[in-house]
Structure formats: C-alpha cells, structure tokens
Amino acid sequence: MLGYMNPGSLKRTLEGTQVWFYSRSQEDLWHKGEVSGNYLNLREWYVDCDSDTILLKVDPDGPACHTGEISCFYTEIPRVLEELFAVIKDRQRAMPEGSYTAKLLAEGTSRVAQKVIEEAGETALAAATNDTENPARGNRGPFVSYPHLDGFGRGVAQRRLGGIAFPSGLASST
C-alpha cells in the first residue's frame, strides 16, 4: 500500500513495532489496523537516495487494502498505448469510410502531428484548470480520458509518493 507520513507518524512507527501514517483527510495520525485489526508490523525500513521516500518492509496481520485484497496494487493499468496503436494500425489498414483516424492518416504525417499537438494542448489545459466536464472539449481527445489528471495542475500529483495514481476507469477511446 501507499501511505503518507509526517514527522509524528514516522516517530511513532520507529519507536514501536507497528506502522503509523498521517491521514490527510482526517489531518491526524492513523494507526494502520486500529479499526480492521490488520496491523502492519515493521520489519525493516529504507530511505531512497534523495531522502524523500521511505520504504517500509512489514509483516501484515491481514490484508493491507481496505477492500480485503492483500495489496492495494491489484488493478492492472490498461494497456492504453497498445490499444491505441492497434486501433490506429487497424484504421490505417482498412481505411474505413467515416473514420476520423483514417481521414487524418490520409491527410499525411503533418496533419497527424498537428492533431496530436492540439489534443495534448487541450488535455494539458483541462488538467491545469481542472476542467473535466466542459462539453466544448468534445471527446476529450482521441487518446485517453483525462479525469485521472484531476488536480495535476494544482500540484496534487506532484506531491503523491510514487507519482500519479491511475484509476481503474482509465481507458482508451476511439
């Protein structure tokens, strides 16, 4: 699992045998397992080369995830780029009438590059302004939906340990 710590939770963890985190929503220390009984018993701890991330090796008393899964990391990220590439190759091979992708491909590399730049700009702007519902965005780009970028422009994603969290709904569109 991924959890946040502050100096207080780190101190409690290192002074004892079980892991404590800092709950940002409750703005208080959180003793993992206090409610569920699924405590994390500290075995070893490491700090990374930049001293900004801590890895705790633990012996769990039960599932670490609130869903009952052993780990919180049980949802595979969809293979968005592979799926997108397959769709594009299919459109390139078949060139179906009415396909916007086929039309772009027929117009040449420069037009495809222009469209990629346009969609990237719209996605970045939507992320920076937290605009996930504006109908003017149309299909929200041919690549991926961007609700997973929520908060990116406000620095939320940059503060997450391990980078951006990808929700299970992340999917390609055609």
Side-chain angles (χ1 to χ4, degrees):
M1 69 172 281
L2 173 67
Y4 294 88
M5 297 183 100
N6 68 359
S9 62
L10 182 60
K11 184 176 188 290
R12 298 276 306 257
T13 298
L14 297 179
E15 287 176 348
T17 60
Q18 295 178 332
V19 178
W20 288 73
F21 294 105
Y22 176 75
S23 170
R24 296 177 305 155
S25 61
Q26 300 295 318
E27 297 182 349
D28 200 4
L29 297 184
W30 165 44
H31 187 192
K32 171 65 177 134
E34 187 172 22
V35 173
S36 66
N38 298 328
Y39 295 97
L40 298 178
N41 303 294
L42 184 63
R43 264 193 348 217
E44 302 171 37
W45 62 281
Y46 301 86
V47 66
D48 76 336
C49 59
D50 297 328
S51 298
D52 61 1
T53 304
I54 299 169
L55 172 67
L56 303 177
K57 292 193 176 182
V58 299
D59 290 319
D61 286 340
C65 185
H66 73 282
T67 66
E69 295 286 335
I70 292 172
S71 167
C72 295
F73 296 93
Y74 59 88
T75 303
E76 182 179 341
I77 297 173
R79 295 190 172 119
V80 175
L81 294 179
E82 290 175 17
E83 292 172 14
L84 174 63
F85 186 71
V87 168
I88 292 170
K89 292 304 279 182
D90 181 61
R91 301 291 194 277
Q92 186 178 36
R93 185 175 55 260
M95 296 299 279
E97 189 176 324
S99 165
Y100 185 68
T101 302
K103 178 180 178 254
L104 284 176
L105 291 168
E107 292 175 3
T109 304
S110 293
R111 179 64 180 114
V112 171
Q114 180 184 24
K115 187 62 178 171
V116 169
I117 292 166
E118 175 189 332
E119 295 295 343
E122 287 182 5
T123 301
L125 180 61
T129 61
N130 196 32
D131 178 8
T132 60
E133 298 300 326
N134 186 344
R137 295 280 178 249
N139 67 0
R140 298 185 192 162
F143 301 113
V144 295
S145 60
Y146 58 72
H148 65 284
L149 295 174
D150 179 37
F152 184 78
R154 295 185 313 278
V156 173
Q158 293 95 327
R159 289 195 305 266
R160 292 183 180 161
L161 296 177
I164 299 171
F166 295 91
S168 59
L170 181 64
S172 63
S173 61
T174 56

